[in-house]
Amino acid sequence: MRWSDLQAVRLDVREVGLRDGLQIESPVPLEAKLRLVEAIVATGVRRVEATSFVSPRAVPALADAAQLAEQLHRWPGIHWSALIANPRGAQRSVAAGITNVEYVISASDGHSIANAGKKTSEALAATSEVCARIHEAGGTVEVIVATAWDCPFDGPTPPQRLVDIVAAAVAAGADAISLADTIGTVTPARLAAAVSDVGRLVRPDQIGLHLHDTRGSGQVNVLAGVLAGVRKFDASVGGLGGCPFAPGASGNIATEELAYWTQGSPMDSGIDVDRAVEAAAVAQDVVGRPLPGSLLRAGGRSRPLRG
């Protein structure tokens, strides 16, 4: 396939650095998070996962979720969302003013127990209650199926198990589905097969991909997703992130890299590359350590040397 074979594609990117990125870090002050919010909004991204309403004991870095939510009115025009793991999280999110949520269901029991303290079937059984609470508040529920391809505890996820989980989530009222490559093992062929399977249950615009770059295949998997009909992708400034309950998981695909490599192609991310690199630098300063993003380490786009 050539570039010319692709029709114009608008990628719908959700920035997840504030949640997936910061959840594995030492807690940072609220003001530092707000500085990062400012930088992220300046990139042009219009969907942002701001935080998660989970146990502060389990994820102390996001214990200030309600306080952060109180400040989000300062940036109108952004589709804010939060991650939850149970109906209680849905209730807390609504109370804080965030009515669009991502509800995580692990495809594998091993990860589900480590991540949420319950088996997959138990998490799936709570989907209808989560959806009812959020829909009553006028919001939306996106079910993120974690370990959609592989689990660090249980190994490969059987494709039929993934299909069954998605079917049950949709029947329970989920508005959208995201397939998460939690430990960064999926390859383009496996990704395309799963998207095809799930595509028999939901519309293409209801499918998203949450990709990690653990093995360097994250960005090529974006292209595989686009060719399979997906338009919604999660990304994180500087490649920040990882799952604290999945050994071996590393950062997400970097937002600035996604914006960079899609330039000049039929794919438009709507994200300003230079502003995204600046946001990644802010994230790096906020967490106080070097981030893995290649474009950030390279200093942004190549510029001619001047004598």
Side-chain angles (χ1 to χ4, degrees), residues 111-192:
H111 183 260
S112 186
I113 291 169
N115 188 58
K118 63 187 73 173
K119 291 185 176 180
T120 300
S121 58
E122 296 174 281
L124 197 53
T127 308
S128 58
E129 183 179 353
V130 167
C131 290
R133 291 191 179 191
I134 294 299
H135 291 160
E136 183 179 358
T140 59
V141 178
E142 178 178 315
V143 167
I144 296 183
V145 184
T147 61
W149 288 277
D150 294 293
C151 170
F153 307 105
D154 300 349
T157 298
Q160 188 58 50
R161 181 176 174 88
L162 174 62
V163 169
D164 291 343
I165 290 169
V166 171
V170 171
D175 301 292
I177 298 293
S178 182
L179 306 181
D181 181 24
T182 306
I183 57 174
T185 56
V186 73
T187 57
R190 294 178 70 202
L191 183 146

Side-chain angles (χ1 to χ4, degrees), residues 212-237:
H212 284 246
D213 202 32
T214 312
R215 289 160 179 80
S217 58
Q219 298 291 351
V220 73
N221 282 328
V222 173
L223 180 57
V226 170
L227 296 177
V230 178
R231 300 294 179 262
K232 294 182 178 181
F233 298 89
D234 289 350
S236 175
V237 288

